């Protein structure tokens, strides 16, 4: 029986239409032909908008600069001052006013940016800037511009070469530079010294010959200590609770209830005794302390706290009433914590040695009521340790528990909480330690949140110097070369972590997120901020937001290199049926590039997605369109390709760029021969 055969109609080749939509972030994990349709293998300076669609990131601008005069300038000024005092000038003419040369300065790297939260100035914002060796106070107006004559030097001769950290407690700002400990009260900034730190009452109810009750521990930040005695009316010499006190510092004494001072006749530093000219009177209530002696005993403990470079605020039940500090290079695995609600009191008994001394503490995180300590990456011990506060015999304690092993931290300033997720940078990407409960058992796990970008991120140089901040629901991680990796916490997180984006030209040495705005300081002394404040009253972004200090922001978004599931057949994209759905802005210029498996891309068309905005009219590119969408056909043809990729590129200055969808219509031709 003859068979029936159908001959295909070669006049109408089969094909289809591919829609790329519901875009998400980057994917560097596999070959660009193997990723999901919604992700991009090549996106630069893009971020998701409120709906999750990629658009050009905000630009940034310089607010002010910080620079120090060179040594030559200082010498020249001294010489000019001396000549002026003598009534002569450099050319020998008495009283002649000479033209001055422009001052030569050298940039001061910005080590810290701190917004003062308890500012009473309602019109302006007060910031403290640690630049070079100087701590400055500046004020920014409502438009984030520097208020005229507001730059003020508060402290000088500070530690340079590092990054400073700051925290608030009791209405004051405390700053750690790695060598100094500074407090700012809204008016003045000063170093925390022996005279301003808390002097502990180490014992009370002492008899002139000794004894009594031990009370507060020695303060590591203060050489001063206090002892209280019960005078008997006849004894002139009183024995302190320690010997070998400071020989060059005279103790002081007083009736601590009335405050009346008692003259000290002499003291024996080696024996730790204080002698009065006449015997202090006995208390009216027998057996109660009435005499307080304040004396000095200097130790080396102060430098341990001053050398710390990281901190965490933590307390019982997660309350923020104590300061934990660490990061001292000479005591890398040790941490210290302060007394209750007093950052100037660090009892010498309040410390923990976390694991071995061979691997230092790198950063702190907080999660689910616990304080997490992340040590340097190693394969010898647990890298995540846990504090949970407990009250034992009415004394606050913070037992230390070893957590899970795994990748430790590499960058001490990479730690931040994105929503409720604690993140830090390891040599193998960004990780998050988590705690869950299964069958009433506590299960600790360590998850990688950056799996899709690790092939690029982990090859970057300078990971140890990365800095981070959380801004507008994004975890922004900036490297020393100006590259930034941004995790979007506003989108749903998957098993492979967050949706990530890649930015360039972010020269941040330090970051500071404050009131939904991100500031950063550069190594060449510039205080900068992102342009997220350039919006209309309806919260529409102005085009002047899209530049980096006046330079255009190069932005790209690319689809996957797509074979249309037929990698061994040649295909043709006809002239009709393909196009791009762009987000319309006041001005938006986009180049359409087409790339195939055989080339690196070819620019096919430059298009505009402009719309009329009465706040910003350009008569050179005037349009009557007010639509927020730009649906633009390609109207060009591409033949004989196995795989195709659409690249949308924008290098325009002060223009927006965003994409909603890309459509490719294609026909399948013959099988490829090579």
């Amino acid at each position: 029986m003859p068979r029936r055969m159908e001959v295909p109609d070669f006049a109408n080749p089969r094909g289809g239409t591919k829609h790329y939509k519901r875009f998400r972030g980057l994917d560097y994990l596999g070959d660009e032909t193997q990723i999901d349709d919604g992700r991009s293998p090549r996106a630069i300076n893009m971020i998701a908008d409120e709906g999750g669609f990629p658009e050009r990131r905000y630009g940034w601008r310089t607010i002010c600069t910080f620079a120090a005069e060179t040594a030559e300038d200082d010498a020249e000024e001294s010489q000019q001052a001396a000549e002026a005092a003598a009534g002569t000038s450099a050319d020998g003419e008495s009283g002649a006013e000479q033209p001055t040369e422009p001052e030569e300065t050298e940039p001061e790297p910005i080590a810290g940016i701190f917004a003062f939260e308890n500012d009473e100035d309602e019109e302006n914002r007060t910031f403290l800037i640690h630049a070079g060796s100087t701590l400055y106070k500046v004020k920014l107006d409502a438009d984030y511009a520097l208020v005229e004559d507001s730059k003020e030097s508060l402290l000088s001769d500070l530690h340079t070469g590092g990054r400073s950290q700051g925290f608030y407690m009791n209405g004051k700002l405390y700053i750690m530079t790695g060598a100094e400990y500074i407090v700012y009260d809204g008016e003045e900034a000063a170093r925390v010294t022996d005279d301003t730190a808390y002097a502990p009452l180490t014992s009370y109810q002492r008899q002139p010959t000794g004894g009594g009750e031990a009370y507060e521990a020695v303060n590591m930040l203060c050489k001063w200590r206090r002892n209280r005695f019960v005078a008997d009316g006849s004894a002139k010499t009183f024995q302190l609770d320690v010997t070998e006190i400071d020989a060059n510092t005279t103790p002081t004494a007083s009736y601590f209830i009335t405050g009346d001072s008692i003259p000290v006749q002499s003291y024996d530093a080696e024996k730790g005794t204080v002698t009065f000219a006449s015997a202090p009177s006995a208390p009216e209530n027998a057996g109660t302390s009435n005499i307080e002696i304040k004396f000095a005993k200097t130790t080396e403990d102060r430098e341990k706290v001053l050398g710390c470079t990281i901190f965490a605020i933590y307390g019982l039940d997660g309350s923020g009433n104590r300061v934990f500090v660490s990061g001292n290079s000479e005591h890398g695995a040790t941490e210290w914590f302060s007394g209750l609600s007093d950052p100037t009191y660090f009892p010498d008994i309040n410390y923990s040695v976390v694991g071995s001394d061979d691997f230092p503490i790198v950063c702190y995180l907080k999660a689910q009521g616990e304080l997490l300590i992340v040590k340097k990456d190693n394969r010898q011990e647990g890298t995540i340790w846990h504090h949970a506060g407990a009250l034992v015999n009415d004394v606050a304690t913070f037992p230390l528990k070893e957590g899970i092993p795994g990748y430790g931290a590499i960058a001490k300033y990479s730690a931040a909480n994105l929503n409720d997720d604690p993140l830090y940078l390891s040599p193998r990407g960004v990780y998050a330690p988590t705690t869950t409960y299964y069958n009433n058992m506590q299960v600790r796990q360590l998850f990688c949140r950056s799996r899709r970008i690790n092939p690029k991120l982990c090859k970057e140089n300078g990971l140890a110097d990365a800095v981070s901040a959380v801004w507008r629901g994004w975890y922004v991680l900036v490297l020393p070369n100006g590259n930034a990796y941004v995790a979007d916490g506003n989108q749903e997180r998957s098993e492979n972590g967050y949706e990530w984006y890649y930015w360039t030209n972010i020269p941040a040495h330090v970051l500071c997120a404050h009131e939904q705005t991100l500031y950063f300081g550069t190594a060449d002394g510039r205080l900068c901020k992102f342009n997220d404040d350039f919006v209309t009253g309806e919260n529409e972004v102005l085009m002047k937001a899209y530049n980096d200090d006046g330079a255009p922001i190069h932005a790209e978004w690319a689809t996957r290199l797509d074979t249309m599931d037929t990698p061994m057949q040649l295909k043709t994209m006809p002239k009709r049926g393909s196009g791009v759905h762009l987000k319309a802005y006041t001005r938006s210029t986009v180049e359409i590039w087409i790339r195939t498996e055989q080339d690196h891309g070819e620019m096919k068309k430059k298009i505009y997605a402009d719309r009329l905005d009465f706040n910003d009219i350009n008569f050179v590119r005037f349009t009557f369109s007010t639509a927020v969408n730009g649906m633009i056909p390609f109207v060009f043809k591409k033949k004989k390709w196995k795989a195709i990729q659409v690249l949308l590129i924008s290098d325009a200055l002060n223009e927006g760029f965003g994409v909603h969808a890309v459509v490719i219509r294609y026909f399948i031709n013959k099988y490829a021969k090579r």
Side-chain angles (χ1 to χ4, degrees), residues 64 124 137-140 145-153:
C64 59
N124 304 308
K137 180 172 74 171
V138 299
K139 286 184 177 293
L140 306 183
L146 182 67
V147 176
E148 186 177 1
D149 298 327
S150 70
K151 185 187 293 186
E152 177 186 352
S153 174

Side-chain angles (χ1 to χ4, degrees), residues 632-671:
I632 303 170
F634 286 166
V635 199
F636 55 78
K637 189 175 185 179
K638 189 68 175 178
K639 300 189 298 183
K640 296 182 179 180
W641 46 268
K642 300 174 189 172
I644 193 169
Q645 182 181 52
V646 177
L647 293 92
L648 305 174
I649 301 176
S650 177
D651 286 311
L653 177 65
N654 294 333
E655 294 191 11
F657 165 46
V659 57
H660 288 303
V662 175
V663 179
I664 295 180
R665 180 169 170 251
Y666 64 94
F667 295 123
I668 299 177
N669 300 324
K670 57 186 177 180
Y671 287 102

Side-chain angles (χ1 to χ4, degrees), residues 110-115 128 130 135 159 162-168 173-183 306-313 323-327 362-364 411-416 466-468 509-512:
I110 294 182
I113 304 171
F114 312 100
L128 268 63
H130 179 192
L135 183 66
H159 174 67
R163 293 181 173 93
S164 298
Q165 298 285 285
F167 60 89
Y168 296 89
L173 170 64
Y174 292 85
I175 299 174
M176 304 161 49
T177 68
E180 296 96 4
Y181 191 32
I182 299 167
V183 59
L306 296 184
C308 290
T309 54
I310 59 173
F311 77 92
I313 305 298
V323 184
F324 287 70
V325 298
S326 188
V362 178
C363 56
Y364 284 108
K412 65 171 61 178
Y413 303 115
S414 67
V467 294
S468 73
H509 185 66
V510 293
L511 293 169
C512 172

